[in-house]
Amino acid sequence: MGLRLRTKRASAVRGTVCAGVLLVTMTLMGCPREGGGERPGQDDSRSPGASSASPSAPSSPGRQSAAQAPVPAGVPRAIPAVRSAEAAPGPGWRPVDGARVIAPGPLADEGRRLAGELHLQYAAAGPARSGDVELAQRPGSSGSGPLAAEGYELTARDGKVLVASAGEPGVFYGTRTLLQAVRSGGGLPEGVVRDAPDRAQRGLHLDIARKHFTAGWIEARLRELSALKLNQLALHFSDDQGFRIESDSHPEIVSKQHLTKAEVRRIVALAESLHVTVIPELDSPGHLGAVIAAHPTLQLRDASGTAARGAIDIANADSARIVDDLLREYAPLFPGPYFHLGADEYRALMAKNPEASYPRLAARAKEKYGARARVQDLATGWLNDRAAFVRTLGKKAKAWNDGFFPGGVVTAKKDIEVEYWTGKEIGARAPQDYLNEGRTLVNLNDEYLYYVLGEPNQFTYPTGQRIYEQWSPAVLRGTAPVPAPAGPDRVAGGRLAVWCDHAAAQTPQQVAAGIRLPLAATAQRLWDARRPTLPWRDFASLDARVR
């Protein structure tokens, strides 16, 4: 990231200080060795939300006062790197014994969290004195526009620190930068940091259907996401191999290993406290083998009677009934704005001639949409109907790019967000086609961002270095960016995706270790889409210090 650093004219306080203004462009970042395992004995209190502090929080041993050990001038080192910083002369700020984190009212939880992490005291009210950190929510303090609530201003001046933002998420992100600055450099250099994300959607997509992950493991990933200023966790909880969330409306479909609703509420509550949105994905009309196992009459069959793996018969009214039951049941469990509807890899549309292979679907399409309608129109109508239904539940729909088809009599609604993952499906469409249609895209490019257990179908585990050096939000398919503008208003962000095709190929601990650096690199490129200038090795070593 480009980082502007200006040093103001300084007056003589101790000795002689050179006058002038220095303009330097820098970039910061960090991560451990690619493929490294989890560090033995790592202190979970280094993760956001893992500890809290009382007004009598213990002091950290071996502290020095700011006067004895000034923080070196420069830019605080953090992941993702701060986008701009203005340096000023002065000793900077270090955590010292007796210092407080002052956070009033709505910011109290953020204040207690930071106080615990830095071994400071917590106070609900000021005024701030030397050594203190003050958190403040102030309109206009982090710019304007849709991302202002996530932007922040971090100021070290007169022995104090002020973290200010228009929104609570921005204040939280400012505290993450402050915490990482202490871990990487001992404190915060004198001056002002102004920082905000480039993309609104930044996160991890996790397949919990093919492989069961415990609530505790998922909560650890939430803390990891929040430390990197990532703000989404998508949970793909239904597939052919399993259905992993407790259901009251259809308990017969739920796998033996699953998350209870109480556990989901606990996950969602932690996510909200860390400013992460949890997005449920109930994939249909494909990837429903676990549902079909309990309801075999929903199984899609071709003209010869052969079952289409994982696919339900969308000409059967009972198929819509059971899917809508589940959408209705789960919508209140996930209070965020999105519901992912899947829509990918429907077996009927993977046939060379869907109309010949699935005449029942072809007949239903003509009956419902007219003589020119095809099977793809019936599938598009299915997607539109589910999107309309979740809209009544207060949700915005997402769907995979291979659920959107050109040239039909039915067109997918424009307000359904396209999650672009592949260009390898039958009739593949370039990302540019979706952009030309005026659609909003989210980037899950399977060339860079797919961590598929067992590496089937020519997938290889992604590396942080490759993401860091080669990928950007505009690289939606393959390795080249799209030719048309792909700014934040068109490509809203991206997610690293973990898919558990061969569930036994890695343990949960190995998955956590394997995605550590790819997640850090993804966070960097989504926070600032410009090519990083800090060498990968330096970025990697920084991660080991700040997280």
PDB file of all heavy atoms in Angstrom, residues 65-92:
ATOM      1  N   SER A  65       8.778   4.008  30.963  1.00  0.00           N
ATOM      2  CA  SER A  65       7.989   5.195  30.668  1.00  0.00           C
ATOM      3  C   SER A  65       8.297   5.670  29.268  1.00  0.00           C
ATOM      4  O   SER A  65       9.350   5.371  28.700  1.00  0.00           O
ATOM      5  CB  SER A  65       8.311   6.310  31.670  1.00  0.00           C
ATOM      6  OG  SER A  65       9.605   6.819  31.412  1.00  0.00           O
ATOM      7  N   ALA A  66       7.359   6.445  28.667  1.00  0.00           N
ATOM      8  CA  ALA A  66       7.554   6.970  27.315  1.00  0.00           C
ATOM      9  C   ALA A  66       8.785   7.864  27.273  1.00  0.00           C
ATOM     10  O   ALA A  66       9.507   7.903  26.281  1.00  0.00           O
ATOM     11  CB  ALA A  66       6.316   7.728  26.869  1.00  0.00           C
ATOM     12  N   ALA A  67       9.055   8.593  28.366  1.00  0.00           N
ATOM     13  CA  ALA A  67      10.206   9.494  28.372  1.00  0.00           C
ATOM     14  C   ALA A  67      11.510   8.707  28.326  1.00  0.00           C
ATOM     15  O   ALA A  67      12.493   9.138  27.727  1.00  0.00           O
ATOM     16  CB  ALA A  67      10.161  10.372  29.626  1.00  0.00           C
ATOM     17  N   GLN A  68      11.533   7.518  28.964  1.00  0.00           N
ATOM     18  CA  GLN A  68      12.758   6.724  28.978  1.00  0.00           C
ATOM     19  C   GLN A  68      12.987   6.007  27.652  1.00  0.00           C
ATOM     20  O   GLN A  68      14.115   5.752  27.280  1.00  0.00           O
ATOM     21  CB  GLN A  68      12.677   5.684  30.107  1.00  0.00           C
ATOM     22  CG  GLN A  68      12.720   6.305  31.500  1.00  0.00           C
ATOM     23  CD  GLN A  68      12.440   5.270  32.559  1.00  0.00           C
ATOM     24  OE1 GLN A  68      11.590   4.409  32.398  1.00  0.00           O
ATOM     25  NE2 GLN A  68      13.179   5.346  33.659  1.00  0.00           N
ATOM     26  N   ALA A  69      11.911   5.652  26.978  1.00  0.00           N
ATOM     27  CA  ALA A  69      12.047   4.861  25.752  1.00  0.00           C
ATOM     28  C   ALA A  69      11.101   5.389  24.684  1.00  0.00           C
ATOM     29  O   ALA A  69      10.029   4.846  24.485  1.00  0.00           O
ATOM     30  CB  ALA A  69      11.752   3.395  26.043  1.00  0.00           C
ATOM     31  N   PRO A  70      11.461   6.463  23.995  1.00  0.00           N
ATOM     32  CA  PRO A  70      10.584   6.991  22.945  1.00  0.00           C
ATOM     33  C   PRO A  70      10.397   5.969  21.832  1.00  0.00           C
ATOM     34  O   PRO A  70      11.299   5.195  21.517  1.00  0.00           O
ATOM     35  CB  PRO A  70      11.328   8.233  22.449  1.00  0.00           C
ATOM     36  CG  PRO A  70      12.739   8.049  22.878  1.00  0.00           C
ATOM     37  CD  PRO A  70      12.691   7.250  24.140  1.00  0.00           C
ATOM     38  N   VAL A  71       9.195   5.972  21.247  1.00  0.00           N
ATOM     39  CA  VAL A  71       8.892   5.079  20.124  1.00  0.00           C
ATOM     40  C   VAL A  71       9.569   5.636  18.878  1.00  0.00           C
ATOM     41  O   VAL A  71       9.442   6.818  18.578  1.00  0.00           O
ATOM     42  CB  VAL A  71       7.375   4.977  19.903  1.00  0.00           C
ATOM     43  CG1 VAL A  71       7.064   4.068  18.715  1.00  0.00           C
ATOM     44  CG2 VAL A  71       6.690   4.468  21.165  1.00  0.00           C
ATOM     45  N   PRO A  72      10.285   4.801  18.124  1.00  0.00           N
ATOM     46  CA  PRO A  72      10.925   5.309  16.905  1.00  0.00           C
ATOM     47  C   PRO A  72       9.901   5.935  15.962  1.00  0.00           C
ATOM     48  O   PRO A  72       8.793   5.411  15.788  1.00  0.00           O
ATOM     49  CB  PRO A  72      11.547   4.043  16.293  1.00  0.00           C
ATOM     50  CG  PRO A  72      11.726   3.110  17.442  1.00  0.00           C
ATOM     51  CD  PRO A  72      10.583   3.385  18.370  1.00  0.00           C
ATOM     52  N   ALA A  73      10.282   7.073  15.377  1.00  0.00           N
ATOM     53  CA  ALA A  73       9.386   7.743  14.432  1.00  0.00           C
ATOM     54  C   ALA A  73       9.158   6.855  13.224  1.00  0.00           C
ATOM     55  O   ALA A  73       9.991   6.021  12.867  1.00  0.00           O
ATOM     56  CB  ALA A  73       9.988   9.078  14.007  1.00  0.00           C
ATOM     57  N   GLY A  74       8.046   7.035  12.588  1.00  0.00           N
ATOM     58  CA  GLY A  74       7.735   6.250  11.399  1.00  0.00           C
ATOM     59  C   GLY A  74       6.271   5.917  11.335  1.00  0.00           C
ATOM     60  O   GLY A  74       5.422   6.656  11.833  1.00  0.00           O
ATOM     61  N   VAL A  75       5.977   4.797  10.718  1.00  0.00           N
ATOM     62  CA  VAL A  75       4.596   4.369  10.518  1.00  0.00           C
ATOM     63  C   VAL A  75       4.350   3.111  11.319  1.00  0.00           C
ATOM     64  O   VAL A  75       5.169   2.200  11.314  1.00  0.00           O
ATOM     65  CB  VAL A  75       4.340   4.098   9.023  1.00  0.00           C
ATOM     66  CG1 VAL A  75       2.903   3.667   8.795  1.00  0.00           C
ATOM     67  CG2 VAL A  75       4.678   5.318   8.199  1.00  0.00           C
ATOM     68  N   PRO A  76       3.248   3.032  12.067  1.00  0.00           N
ATOM     69  CA  PRO A  76       2.968   1.818  12.823  1.00  0.00           C
ATOM     70  C   PRO A  76       2.807   0.618  11.900  1.00  0.00           C
ATOM     71  O   PRO A  76       2.164   0.703  10.858  1.00  0.00           O
ATOM     72  CB  PRO A  76       1.671   2.143  13.570  1.00  0.00           C
ATOM     73  CG  PRO A  76       1.048   3.255  12.798  1.00  0.00           C
ATOM     74  CD  PRO A  76       2.182   4.045  12.234  1.00  0.00           C
ATOM     75  N   ARG A  77       3.374  -0.494  12.308  1.00  0.00           N
ATOM     76  CA  ARG A  77       3.314  -1.714  11.497  1.00  0.00           C
ATOM     77  C   ARG A  77       2.111  -2.551  11.909  1.00  0.00           C
ATOM     78  O   ARG A  77       1.953  -2.896  13.084  1.00  0.00           O
ATOM     79  CB  ARG A  77       4.592  -2.514  11.695  1.00  0.00           C
ATOM     80  CG  ARG A  77       5.820  -1.804  11.152  1.00  0.00           C
ATOM     81  CD  ARG A  77       6.232  -2.457   9.860  1.00  0.00           C
ATOM     82  NE  ARG A  77       7.290  -1.715   9.182  1.00  0.00           N
ATOM     83  CZ  ARG A  77       8.023  -2.241   8.214  1.00  0.00           C
ATOM     84  NH1 ARG A  77       7.813  -3.473   7.841  1.00  0.00           N
ATOM     85  NH2 ARG A  77       8.949  -1.516   7.613  1.00  0.00           N
ATOM     86  N   ALA A  78       1.278  -2.875  10.920  1.00  0.00           N
ATOM     87  CA  ALA A  78       0.061  -3.630  11.203  1.00  0.00           C
ATOM     88  C   ALA A  78      -0.339  -4.415   9.960  1.00  0.00           C
ATOM     89  O   ALA A  78       0.118  -4.148   8.855  1.00  0.00           O
ATOM     90  CB  ALA A  78      -1.068  -2.686  11.619  1.00  0.00           C
ATOM     91  N   ILE A  79      -1.216  -5.394  10.153  1.00  0.00           N
ATOM     92  CA  ILE A  79      -1.802  -6.155   9.058  1.00  0.00           C
ATOM     93  C   ILE A  79      -3.317  -6.078   9.192  1.00  0.00           C
ATOM     94  O   ILE A  79      -3.861  -6.498  10.213  1.00  0.00           O
ATOM     95  CB  ILE A  79      -1.376  -7.637   9.106  1.00  0.00           C
ATOM     96  CG1 ILE A  79       0.141  -7.770   8.987  1.00  0.00           C
ATOM     97  CG2 ILE A  79      -2.054  -8.422   7.989  1.00  0.00           C
ATOM     98  CD1 ILE A  79       0.622  -9.196   9.133  1.00  0.00           C
ATOM     99  N   PRO A  80      -3.999  -5.541   8.172  1.00  0.00           N
ATOM    100  CA  PRO A  80      -3.445  -4.924   6.970  1.00  0.00           C
ATOM    101  C   PRO A  80      -2.750  -3.609   7.287  1.00  0.00           C
ATOM    102  O   PRO A  80      -3.025  -2.976   8.312  1.00  0.00           O
ATOM    103  CB  PRO A  80      -4.682  -4.704   6.090  1.00  0.00           C
ATOM    104  CG  PRO A  80      -5.819  -4.602   7.053  1.00  0.00           C
ATOM    105  CD  PRO A  80      -5.488  -5.527   8.181  1.00  0.00           C
ATOM    106  N   ALA A  81      -1.853  -3.218   6.392  1.00  0.00           N
ATOM    107  CA  ALA A  81      -1.076  -2.000   6.600  1.00  0.00           C
ATOM    108  C   ALA A  81      -1.977  -0.772   6.578  1.00  0.00           C
ATOM    109  O   ALA A  81      -2.961  -0.717   5.834  1.00  0.00           O
ATOM    110  CB  ALA A  81      -0.007  -1.872   5.519  1.00  0.00           C
ATOM    111  N   VAL A  82      -1.617   0.215   7.400  1.00  0.00           N
ATOM    112  CA  VAL A  82      -2.378   1.464   7.386  1.00  0.00           C
ATOM    113  C   VAL A  82      -2.149   2.171   6.055  1.00  0.00           C
ATOM    114  O   VAL A  82      -1.077   2.081   5.459  1.00  0.00           O
ATOM    115  CB  VAL A  82      -2.002   2.371   8.566  1.00  0.00           C
ATOM    116  CG1 VAL A  82      -2.271   1.653   9.884  1.00  0.00           C
ATOM    117  CG2 VAL A  82      -0.557   2.830   8.497  1.00  0.00           C
ATOM    118  N   ARG A  83      -3.155   2.886   5.588  1.00  0.00           N
ATOM    119  CA  ARG A  83      -3.089   3.460   4.246  1.00  0.00           C
ATOM    120  C   ARG A  83      -2.442   4.838   4.219  1.00  0.00           C
ATOM    121  O   ARG A  83      -1.897   5.252   3.208  1.00  0.00           O
ATOM    122  CB  ARG A  83      -4.495   3.511   3.643  1.00  0.00           C
ATOM    123  CG  ARG A  83      -5.072   2.113   3.481  1.00  0.00           C
ATOM    124  CD  ARG A  83      -6.458   2.124   2.902  1.00  0.00           C
ATOM    125  NE  ARG A  83      -6.437   2.503   1.497  1.00  0.00           N
ATOM    126  CZ  ARG A  83      -7.524   2.591   0.735  1.00  0.00           C
ATOM    127  NH1 ARG A  83      -8.703   2.329   1.269  1.00  0.00           N
ATOM    128  NH2 ARG A  83      -7.439   2.939  -0.518  1.00  0.00           N
ATOM    129  N   SER A  84      -2.500   5.590   5.313  1.00  0.00           N
ATOM    130  CA  SER A  84      -1.796   6.868   5.340  1.00  0.00           C
ATOM    131  C   SER A  84      -1.463   7.241   6.775  1.00  0.00           C
ATOM    132  O   SER A  84      -2.195   6.911   7.712  1.00  0.00           O
ATOM    133  CB  SER A  84      -2.618   7.990   4.681  1.00  0.00           C
ATOM    134  OG  SER A  84      -3.714   8.350   5.482  1.00  0.00           O
ATOM    135  N   ALA A  85      -0.322   7.899   6.944  1.00  0.00           N
ATOM    136  CA  ALA A  85       0.111   8.323   8.275  1.00  0.00           C
ATOM    137  C   ALA A  85       0.898   9.610   8.145  1.00  0.00           C
ATOM    138  O   ALA A  85       1.711   9.773   7.235  1.00  0.00           O
ATOM    139  CB  ALA A  85       0.958   7.245   8.936  1.00  0.00           C
ATOM    140  N   GLU A  86       0.669  10.530   9.061  1.00  0.00           N
ATOM    141  CA  GLU A  86       1.387  11.812   9.101  1.00  0.00           C
ATOM    142  C   GLU A  86       2.181  11.848  10.394  1.00  0.00           C
ATOM    143  O   GLU A  86       1.613  11.887  11.488  1.00  0.00           O
ATOM    144  CB  GLU A  86       0.386  12.966   9.030  1.00  0.00           C
ATOM    145  CG  GLU A  86       1.027  14.331   8.956  1.00  0.00           C
ATOM    146  CD  GLU A  86      -0.035  15.411   8.806  1.00  0.00           C
ATOM    147  OE1 GLU A  86      -0.579  15.562   7.699  1.00  0.00           O
ATOM    148  OE2 GLU A  86      -0.318  16.083   9.818  1.00  0.00           O
ATOM    149  N   ALA A  87       3.497  11.813  10.275  1.00  0.00           N
ATOM    150  CA  ALA A  87       4.346  11.778  11.460  1.00  0.00           C
ATOM    151  C   ALA A  87       4.511  13.174  12.047  1.00  0.00           C
ATOM    152  O   ALA A  87       4.383  14.188  11.351  1.00  0.00           O
ATOM    153  CB  ALA A  87       5.714  11.204  11.113  1.00  0.00           C
ATOM    154  N   ALA A  88       4.815  13.209  13.325  1.00  0.00           N
ATOM    155  CA  ALA A  88       5.078  14.470  14.028  1.00  0.00           C
ATOM    156  C   ALA A  88       6.213  14.230  15.007  1.00  0.00           C
ATOM    157  O   ALA A  88       6.454  13.088  15.431  1.00  0.00           O
ATOM    158  CB  ALA A  88       3.828  14.945  14.764  1.00  0.00           C
ATOM    159  N   PRO A  89       6.960  15.265  15.373  1.00  0.00           N
ATOM    160  CA  PRO A  89       8.026  15.076  16.360  1.00  0.00           C
ATOM    161  C   PRO A  89       7.455  14.787  17.733  1.00  0.00           C
ATOM    162  O   PRO A  89       6.418  15.326  18.106  1.00  0.00           O
ATOM    163  CB  PRO A  89       8.761  16.416  16.331  1.00  0.00           C
ATOM    164  CG  PRO A  89       7.733  17.396  15.866  1.00  0.00           C
ATOM    165  CD  PRO A  89       6.862  16.662  14.899  1.00  0.00           C
ATOM    166  N   GLY A  90       8.100  13.931  18.461  1.00  0.00           N
ATOM    167  CA  GLY A  90       7.635  13.608  19.798  1.00  0.00           C
ATOM    168  C   GLY A  90       7.976  12.178  20.153  1.00  0.00           C
ATOM    169  O   GLY A  90       8.409  11.386  19.312  1.00  0.00           O
ATOM    170  N   PRO A  91       7.792  11.819  21.406  1.00  0.00           N
ATOM    171  CA  PRO A  91       8.213  10.495  21.885  1.00  0.00           C
ATOM    172  C   PRO A  91       7.276   9.370  21.497  1.00  0.00           C
ATOM    173  O   PRO A  91       7.607   8.201  21.683  1.00  0.00           O
ATOM    174  CB  PRO A  91       8.249  10.682  23.408  1.00  0.00           C
ATOM    175  CG  PRO A  91       7.195  11.713  23.669  1.00  0.00           C
ATOM    176  CD  PRO A  91       7.280  12.670  22.506  1.00  0.00           C
ATOM    177  N   GLY A  92       6.081   9.689  20.976  1.00  0.00           N
ATOM    178  CA  GLY A  92       5.115   8.642  20.721  1.00  0.00           C
ATOM    179  C   GLY A  92       4.481   8.146  22.001  1.00  0.00           C
ATOM    180  O   GLY A  92       4.569   8.791  23.048  1.00  0.00           O
TER     181      GLY A  92
END
